[in-house]
Amino acid sequence: MRASSPLLFFGICLNALFLLASCEEQQIPQDKLLVVTVATKETDGFRRFLRSAKHFNYTVKVLGRGQKWKGGDYMSAPGGGQKVKLLKAALEKMKDKEKIILFIDSYDVVFASGPKELLKKFQQARHKVVFSSETLIWPDRHLEDKYPHVREGNRFLGSGGFIGYLPNIKEMVTGWDGENHESDQLFFTKLYINPEKRKAVNMTIDSKCRLFQNLHGALDEVVLKFEDGRVRARNVLYDTLPVIIHGNGPTKLQINYLGNYIPKVWTFETGCTVCHEDLRPLTGLKESEYPLVVIGIFIQQPTPFVTVFFERLLKLRYPKNRLKLFIYNQEPHHEQQVSSFLHDYGNLYQDVKFIGPEEEMDSATSRNVGFDMCRQDKDCEYFFNLDIEVVLKNEDTLKIVVEQNLPIVAPMITRVGRLWSNFWGALSAEGYYARSEDYVDIVQGRRLGVWNVPYVSSVFLVKGSLLRSELSEHDLFTSDVLDPDMAFCDKVRSKGVFMYATNMHTFGRILSTENYETQHLHNDLWQIFENTLDWEERYIHENYTRIMKDKLIETPCPDVYWFPIFSDIACNHLVEEMEHFGQWSGGGNKDTRIQGGYENVPTIDIHMNQVGYEKEWHKLLLDYVAPITEKMYPGYYTKAQFDLAFVVRYKPDEQPSLRPHHDASTFTINIALNEVGHDYQGGGCRFLRYNCSIQAPRKGWALMHPGRLTHYHEGLPTTAGVRYIAVSFVDP
Ligand SMILES: *[C@@H]1O[C@H](CO)[C@@H](O)[C@H](O)[C@H]1NC(C)=O
Ligand SMILES: *[C@@H]1O[C@H](CO)[C@@H](O)[C@H](O)[C@H]1NC(C)=O
Ligand SMILES: *[C@@H]1O[C@H](CO)[C@@H](O)[C@H](O)[C@H]1NC(C)=O
Ligand SMILES: *[C@@H]1O[C@H](CO)[C@@H](O)[C@H](O)[C@H]1NC(C)=O
């Protein structure tokens, strides 16, 4: 951005002249400003700093690139003498006396505004050198008395950022002859608290955070302010809009948080538009050019819908010859499902490594070993962690996250009806979950973006190169105190590596693994309460939701309604479950009321309560049948309580048909569980009063008719094969 045009500038001065009768000061041209920083290592924080500098058009000079960092641990830097030494050397080569130097840390710094505002505020400070200020004194508390008092604002000096004229800064650092590990902050503090030196250098501190905001000790003072699609951090204590935000000391996570908004340009509808300019678009790549990904699948507890998980895995849109699988299964319960998947489809993938329950590997080790599979394979560009309870509805998920080209990125998934997600917005002081201010908005999709977060789990992508560099330790998941997921994130954070979660697309959800019963043949049938949506997708007919809107309900006989309710798989599972249970009875226990009396109409059947399915069946009737009943028989309300619910088996040589009878119900539901012509011949139902038959029952469709009075009916003979129906007498 250019400075104001001369004409405009003149106009401003003219105005000022009238007001103040003084306009001696020219605005400093922006090209006089040079940002100088020290970065021996290109951390994610450093890249973020450069992105923000580029966004505002700062010119940046980076010192120390590729040098070994000797100024102490950069994550919690005491020391920093190396920075001063590098600065001193660099300044010696610079001659322009008008030059303004902004010397600033970069691993944990973002710009919130551009050079013009920075220079203006610098000029308004009316000193040749301006240091950032701190609420806390450091590193030597004994110097407190020597510090000059300030009228308002912070009293202490922070060396993480300062700005000044080249000659004054040269003068300031000329006396430096300390060691690399010595404290730069102490050095500058001693200059500042010495009145002569302070005057000679003409230095001051930015006590009200007009230029610099150090976050340490000041978190409560800083809030985000949203305006016109832009975000600024505001210091509410001094009512200032700092230009530079520094997550110094223990405020690394807070600067990561603020960095999600600053300096991005935001709209809440489309998310950030200036997030990651270094995106690598994958579009147009040939299949063979897709990055090779190792998908790590972890089964660590009995989990519903494992078969569906593998069906989805197969449908993931990514060339299978660019995928390798690492499967860890700790559960004998799931061995059959895993081995049948591997048997049928394993050879589609470039490679498969499988670890079963017999290896008795613990969970942390399995994850370490999974990472190793990518780490030790130089062709592996990404590791995609996918826990078995993850439901990836978006078939492009892997492509999308690979395209993000980030070190670690999780597609956001949530849990239906709960405020749960596979990322955390913030971290408590003890390192556990804490809710960030924007968490609910992100989880519920009111804010979209790619978010720098302190914790991801369940499904996330890690760069292979990262596993071979910063994250090369074999035991990232191992810890004496933390669970594997937390241990991993803790290590990642401590290495200064950023983790992201994206909610720019909808990706899917996570299953609840609680209350999962394992004693049945098809345990997923029992999931109607715990994982209702998944149960519905698996077991309810795909056209069920359209039956009202698209008038799919048929009326084959008077007051008899016919509609799709069960999927093919639901029918198969129910029949298989009953056959697996096997205790078919000749009944004698179904009293069906006929014309005022009772008569016994026995069937060969198994009752829902015999297989422990009555609660689930009631919910099915309540949620999927009752709404239709109430619609078709207006004025009638049902609690969907049933006296009897059972699966009937008709066979030519066992019981082929059922003689005419009334049902002991207000209404009856009769669901065909297999297919005429395919599984059996004959069958059907005839209503005698209306001389009306349904002779080709459709698999998965329910017949609903009144009981007791009008719909006297018989079961027509099954002439070949075996026919199954699920019958419920509902009352009231
Ligand atoms: C940075 O410079 C470019 C090109 O000179 C300009 O288009 C852009 O608006 C500038 N950005 C800012 C934030 O001033
Ligand atoms: C510091 O510099 C400013 C101009 O930037 C000047 O007005 C002021 O008098 C100087 N202060 C001292 C103590 O030299
Ligand atoms: C659902 O309806 C569509 C069109 O109406 C049909 O093509 C499809 O076969 C139906 N699905 C099933 C499982 O019957
Ligand atoms: C019942 O219907 C069948 C064919 O639909 C017809 O042949 C028969 O005559 C009818 N019986 C009575 C009693 O109406």
Side-chain angles (χ1 to χ4, degrees), residues 686 690-692:
R686 177 163 170 266
Y690 308 99
N691 189 20
C692 176

Side-chain angles (χ1 to χ4, degrees), residues 134-178:
E134 298 268 7
T135 46
L136 307 167
I137 185 167
W138 192 78
D140 186 352
R141 276 188 289 139
H142 304 294
L143 298 177
E144 177 160 358
D145 293 343
K146 304 221 168 75
Y147 260 98
H149 282 275
V150 294
R151 237 179 302 141
E152 192 190 355
N154 301 325
R155 207 176 137 202
F156 306 113
L157 173 146
S159 65
F162 55 85
I163 182 170
Y165 283 93
L166 177 65
N168 304 62
I169 291 187
K170 271 188 180 175
E171 184 182 342
M172 210 170 59
V173 297
T174 181
W176 173 266
D177 58 359

Side-chain angles (χ1 to χ4, degrees), residues 541-543 546:
H541 194 282
E542 62 171 333
N543 291 334
R546 296 174 31 215

Side-chain angles (χ1 to χ4, degrees), residues 69-86:
W69 180 238
K70 297 168 189 143
D73 173 9
Y74 73 87
M75 289 305 295
S76 57
Q82 189 178 6
K83 285 195 305 192
V84 187
K85 188 170 154 187
L86 287 165

Side-chain angles (χ1 to χ4, degrees), residues 33-202:
L33 177 67
L34 180 67
V35 180
V36 180
T37 189
V38 172
T40 49
K41 217 164 149 243
E42 284 215 1
T43 62
D44 289 332
F46 176 70
R47 281 185 280 265
R48 171 183 60 198
F49 170 81
L50 282 191
R51 270 199 302 275
S52 92
K54 187 173 152 209
H55 174 70
F56 290 112
N57 294 335
Y58 284 96
T59 309
V60 180
K61 185 174 177 60
V62 182
L63 309 178
R65 265 190 165 142
Q67 290 196 10
K68 202 166 155 45
W69 180 238
K70 297 168 189 143
D73 173 9
Y74 73 87
M75 289 305 295
S76 57
Q82 189 178 6
K83 285 195 305 192
V84 187
K85 188 170 154 187
L86 287 165
L87 175 66
K88 189 176 164 183
L91 294 182
E92 273 160 17
K93 295 180 204 129
M94 298 182 197
K95 303 294 173 214
D96 182 357
K97 290 195 165 62
E98 307 279 277
K99 199 100 200 152
I100 312 282
I101 302 294
L102 170 68
F103 190 62
I104 186 103
D105 286 354
S106 48
Y107 293 141
D108 43 17
V109 166
V110 292
F111 287 105
S113 183
K116 188 175 169 191
E117 183 179 335
L118 178 73
L119 290 171
K120 189 170 131 221
K121 289 179 169 174
F122 168 59
Q123 272 181 302
Q124 287 167 348
R126 309 210 163 273
H127 282 79
K128 299 282 196 237
V129 175
V130 180
F131 268 83
S132 72
S133 67
E134 298 268 7
T135 46
L136 307 167
I137 185 167
W138 192 78
D140 186 352
R141 276 188 289 139
H142 304 294
L143 298 177
E144 177 160 358
D145 293 343
K146 304 221 168 75
Y147 260 98
H149 282 275
V150 294
R151 237 179 302 141
E152 192 190 355
N154 301 325
R155 207 176 137 202
F156 306 113
L157 173 146
S159 65
F162 55 85
I163 182 170
Y165 283 93
L166 177 65
N168 304 62
I169 291 187
K170 271 188 180 175
E171 184 182 342
M172 210 170 59
V173 297
T174 181
W176 173 266
D177 58 359
E179 299 290 329
N180 282 339
H181 64 269
E182 282 177 37
S183 170
D184 54 332
Q185 178 138 318
L186 187 61
F187 172 73
F188 292 122
T189 298
K190 282 179 175 165
L191 289 181
Y192 177 65
I193 60 178
N194 178 323
E196 285 82 49
K197 296 216 169 113
R198 182 162 72 237
K199 192 168 172 211
V201 176
N202 192 336

Side-chain angles (χ1 to χ4, degrees), residues 8-20 23:
L8 183 63
F9 184 61
F10 179 71
I12 292 166
C13 277
L14 212 62
N15 277 336
L17 254 171
F18 283 123
L19 290 171
L20 301 166
C23 186

